[in-house]
């Protein structure tokens, strides 16, 4: 990932950045468990150049000894500066059994032995074995732009047909698991996560979004309005949902104070109140204690998010 952002085989990072700036082109790359995604934005007149640059990043990255060492240093520095959070502790735990989660500890160990030749072999493997998809937003009323895009994309190397499969990683959790770690700060970072087997359907996506919106934002039972506004337990409290393969997660998260260094007072009362609050508000959701207005607000928020989506 780091090397993908360091230019191309034919252009140094400075040369590549200058070329993008001169043509008002933005290109960003991201890598995750589902693969590599590269995104570009430009004016219509520069679309051919943009696609060409994107293709070069994917097929001919600048994997030099210098960039390899720079990338290693960046990752090692990021790992040294990382701070434990409730989420990171959860990920470390999940990574023991779920191949779609990555342990930072394992990454640190891997950095000690990885070679530039292994990085090159990985890149070649990706080029020769990947499937792919291309999605484009084009200006209305300019069919020639679409034609230009098709012509340029036809120059790409052939890839395997895209076959969307959801990884079967869900495992039932028979009893609660509590993970704790002490930190010398004035806040407790608490995250309570529920895991469930997830089937990716339109109905489930809609229900999941509305459920989370109500749990977060309901005037009657929302975490924000109750734990923050009424009970003053935290500045930051929210819930969110996430899918990792066929494993779904609903997480409630809060940062609540535990001590006041100015007066030397230490209390964990807010920790218990926060956890009790999660349980109470989730039960209120299960018992449908929200209003019709809450449900309509959640629907409107979801519609607005969908209408505002571009990319």
């Amino acid at each position: 990932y780091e090397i993908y952002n360091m230019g191309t085989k034919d252009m140094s990072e400075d040369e590549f950045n200058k070329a993008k700036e001169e043509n008002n082109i933005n290109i960003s790359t991201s890598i995750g468990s589902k693969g590599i995604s590269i995104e570009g934005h430009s004016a219509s007149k520069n679309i051919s150049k943009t696609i060409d640059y994107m293709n070069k990043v994917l097929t001919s990255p600048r994997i030099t000894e210098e960039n390899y060492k720079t990338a290693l240093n960046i990752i090692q520095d990021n790992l040294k500066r990382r701070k434990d959070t409730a989420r990171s502790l959860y990920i470390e735990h999940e990574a023991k059994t779920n191949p779609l989660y990555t342990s930072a500890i394992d990454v640190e160990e891997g950095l000690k032995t990885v070679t530039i030749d292994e990085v090159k072999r990985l890149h070649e493997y990706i080029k020769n074995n990947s499937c792919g998809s291309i999605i484009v937003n084009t200006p209305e009323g300019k069919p020639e732009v679409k034609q230009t895009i098709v012509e340029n994309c036809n120059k790409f190397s052939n890839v395997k047909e895209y076959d969307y499969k959801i990884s079967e990683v869900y495992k039932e959790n028979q009893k609660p698991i509590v993970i704790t770690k002490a930190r010398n700060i004035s806040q407790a970072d608490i995250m309570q996560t529920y895991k469930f087997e997830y089937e990716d359907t339109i109905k489930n996506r809609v229900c999941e979004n509305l459920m989370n919106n109500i749990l977060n934002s309901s005037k009657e039972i929302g975490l924000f309005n109750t734990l923050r506004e009424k009970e003053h337990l935290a500045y930051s409290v929210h819930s969110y949902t996430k899918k990792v393969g066929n494993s779904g997660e609903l997480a409630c998260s809060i940062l609540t104070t535990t001590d006041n260094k100015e007066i030397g007072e230490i209390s964990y009362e807010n920790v218990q109140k926060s956890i009790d609050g999660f349980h109470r508000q989730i039960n209120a959701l299960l018992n449908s204690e929200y209003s019709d207005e809450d449900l309509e607000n959640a629907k409107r928020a979801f519609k607005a998010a969908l209408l505002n989506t571009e990319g």
Side-chain angles (χ1 to χ4, degrees):
Y1 164 70
E2 296 294 345
I3 290 173
Y4 276 147
N5 291 295
M6 295 179 182
T8 69
K9 192 174 182 179
D10 302 322
M11 302 172 77
S12 69
E13 184 176 359
D14 287 343
E15 290 170 335
F16 191 51
N17 287 338
K18 185 178 179 181
K20 288 187 293 181
E21 185 178 343
E22 287 174 349
N23 293 283
N24 197 23
I25 293 171
N26 180 44
I27 293 174
S28 58
T29 310
S30 61
I31 297 179
S33 58
K34 293 180 181 178
I36 297 168
S37 175
I38 184 162
E39 192 171 334
H41 297 89
S42 75
S44 300
K45 64 180 181 180
N46 290 329
I47 198 75
S48 295
K49 195 167 285 187
T50 304
I51 294 172
D52 181 51
Y53 285 167
M54 291 167 71
N55 194 22
K56 284 178 178 175
V57 169
L58 282 177
T59 59
S60 306
R62 198 173 182 81
I63 309 177
T64 63
E65 187 70 30
E66 181 185 2
N67 284 354
Y68 160 76
K69 289 179 179 177
T70 301
L72 272 181
N73 289 334
I74 290 171
I75 299 165
Q76 287 169 336
D77 186 54
N78 287 339
L79 287 169
K80 284 177 185 173
R81 290 189 289 109
R82 83 182 191 279
K83 295 179 181 178
D84 287 317
T85 64
R87 178 74 187 167
S88 72
L89 294 179
Y90 172 76
I91 290 172
E92 289 295 330
H93 171 77
E94 284 294 296
K96 296 172 185 175
T97 56
N98 187 335
L100 299 184
Y101 272 120
T102 304
S103 163
I105 296 169
D106 290 342
V107 172
E108 281 183 306
E109 287 301 308
L111 287 172
K112 296 175 184 177
T113 58
V114 69
T115 67
I116 188 171
D117 288 334
E118 287 176 312
V119 175
K120 289 177 178 178
R121 284 201 297 273
L122 173 61
H123 178 253
E124 286 302 312
Y125 174 83
I126 292 168
K127 274 205 307 183
N128 297 328
N129 295 278
S130 293
C131 55
S133 61
I134 299 170
I135 303 127
V136 188
N137 273 358
T138 61
E140 284 187 293
K142 288 193 174 184
E144 69 278 7
V145 175
K146 178 181 176 180
Q147 186 59 35
T148 301
I149 290 167
V150 171
E151 289 171 0
N152 279 273
C153 290
N154 280 337
K155 298 174 186 175
F156 282 21
S157 302
N158 288 332
V159 295
K160 293 185 178 182
E161 187 174 345
Y162 198 88
D163 183 18
Y164 182 68
K165 291 180 181 177
I166 295 179
S167 301
E168 304 283 333
V169 295
Y170 173 75
K171 291 179 181 175
E172 187 175 355
N173 194 40
Q174 296 289 348
K175 61 180 181 178
I177 296 169
V178 180
I179 306 166
T180 61
K181 188 164 186 177
R183 298 190 302 173
N184 186 28
I185 58 173
S186 301
Q187 280 185 318
D189 179 4
I190 308 167
M191 185 179 80
Q192 185 162 302
T193 303
Y194 298 84
K195 291 172 65 176
F196 55 95
E197 190 169 8
Y198 184 77
E199 184 183 0
D200 193 12
T201 66
I202 297 292
K203 179 83 176 217
N204 282 349
R205 288 191 185 196
V206 172
C207 287
E208 176 198 338
N209 186 286
L210 298 182
M211 173 195 69
N212 187 57
N213 187 293
I214 291 170
L215 181 58
N216 249 323
S217 308
S218 160
K219 291 180 181 178
E220 306 289 334
I221 63 165
L223 293 173
F224 184 88
N225 202 41
T226 307
L227 271 62
R228 174 186 149 143
E229 298 298 286
K230 292 178 182 176
E231 298 178 7
H232 309 295
L233 288 174
Y235 180 77
S236 172
V237 57
H238 65 282
S239 67
Y240 62 89
T241 57
K242 182 179 175 68
K243 276 87 65 182
V244 183
N246 72 326
S247 183
E249 298 172 4
L250 167 66
C252 300
S253 183
I254 191 168
L255 289 170
T256 189
T257 53
T258 54
D259 59 88
N260 187 331
K261 288 182 167 51
E262 291 181 6
I263 60 174
E265 182 183 280
I266 298 176
S267 170
Y268 301 109
E269 188 179 43
N270 282 351
V271 173
Q272 190 61 55
K273 284 182 178 179
S274 297
I275 295 170
D276 290 343
F278 288 160
H279 292 160
R280 184 186 63 236
Q281 301 315 121
I282 285 171
N283 283 327
L285 175 69
L286 291 172
N287 293 325
S288 302
E289 294 175 20
Y290 51 87
S291 65
D292 289 343
E293 183 184 4
D294 285 332
L295 180 59
E296 291 307 312
N297 285 341
K299 288 181 180 180
R300 275 195 293 272
F302 192 20
K303 284 180 182 177
L306 292 170
L307 292 169
N308 196 39
T309 299
E310 186 175 320

